[in-house]
Amino acid sequence: SMHASSDNVPAPSDGESDTLEHSPLTQALLRGSSPMPSGAQHPEEQDAGGSATVVDDARTARTSPLTAADRRARRKRYFTVALITLTSMFLYADQNLIGPNLTAIAEEFNLSDEQKDVRLGGWLQLAFFVVGSPASLIIGYYADKTKRVRLFFWTTLIGEGPCLATYWVTTYWQLFALRAMTGIAVGGCLPLLFSLCGDLFASNERSYVASFLTIATGAGVALGQVVAGTIGPAYGWRLPFIITSVPAIALAALMYAVVDEPKRGAP
């Protein structure tokens, strides 16, 4: 019988009991896991050790002093951001140069009140958008194919040149054509600028840097409103177009001259 068979099995001696209790298989079964080779580290211990190593490395990287070369590179990056921000501000300033002087422009081109609202308040803005939106897509595509600093200069020149030429228009349709072409600069600059900032700064700094571009757009619209509203009535509605376009072209040229094309694919 089974009782008889179990009674006939010899009990382990004291030495054998100690051996069984301390064997790797017994210890593994007591822990509820599979036995591990001698010298191997338990996964929990291994993870804890790996995490500690990563934390130590991160702390060391944060506290390690910047070299002179690192500081120069950082200053150069922020100088580039300053140029980009100022240029963007003047690019967006020309969006709002017409509004404060609608009446003066309408009188010069012999537009009735109804024509003033439709042609100056509606058609010019529509032309600006119709040209600027495709320009943004096209320039955004070429931003991945060619040097962005050079492309940004030419985009600004092509867009802000017509803004500058607005000073000499003599007919409404000349004004219409030049305002439409100005949309190239405003629509095309954003893809280039965000692409440049993305490669100039690491991933943990990009959101902060991108905020400067957002501020520049709002500040530019406000600047245009102030320039057109104060200078236009005193010196004529044409002068604000020079005041905003010349700095934009000059800053883009300076950027083209002193800023190196950043390496693509920054981490």
Side-chain angles (χ1 to χ4, degrees), residues 55-105:
V55 171
D56 289 342
D57 291 343
R59 187 180 296 112
T60 301
R62 287 197 303 267
T63 57
S64 59
L66 292 175
T67 65
D70 291 336
R71 287 193 293 269
R72 284 195 300 270
R74 186 177 182 83
R75 285 195 299 268
K76 190 170 184 179
R77 288 198 302 270
Y78 276 100
F79 172 72
T80 302
V81 171
L83 281 179
I84 288 173
T85 302
L86 287 173
T87 308
S88 300
M89 185 178 69
F90 282 104
L91 285 174
Y92 277 86
D94 82 4
Q95 279 191 336
N96 211 22
L97 297 180
I98 296 287
N101 296 296
L102 281 178
T103 301
I105 298 172

Side-chain angles (χ1 to χ4, degrees), residues 191-217:
L192 289 167
L193 298 181
F194 278 108
S195 177
L196 286 169
C197 289
D199 284 335
L200 283 169
F201 292 88
S203 58
N204 62 335
E205 296 178 293
R206 288 172 192 157
S207 298
Y208 174 69
V209 173
S211 66
F212 286 95
L213 300 181
T214 306
I215 292 171
T217 58

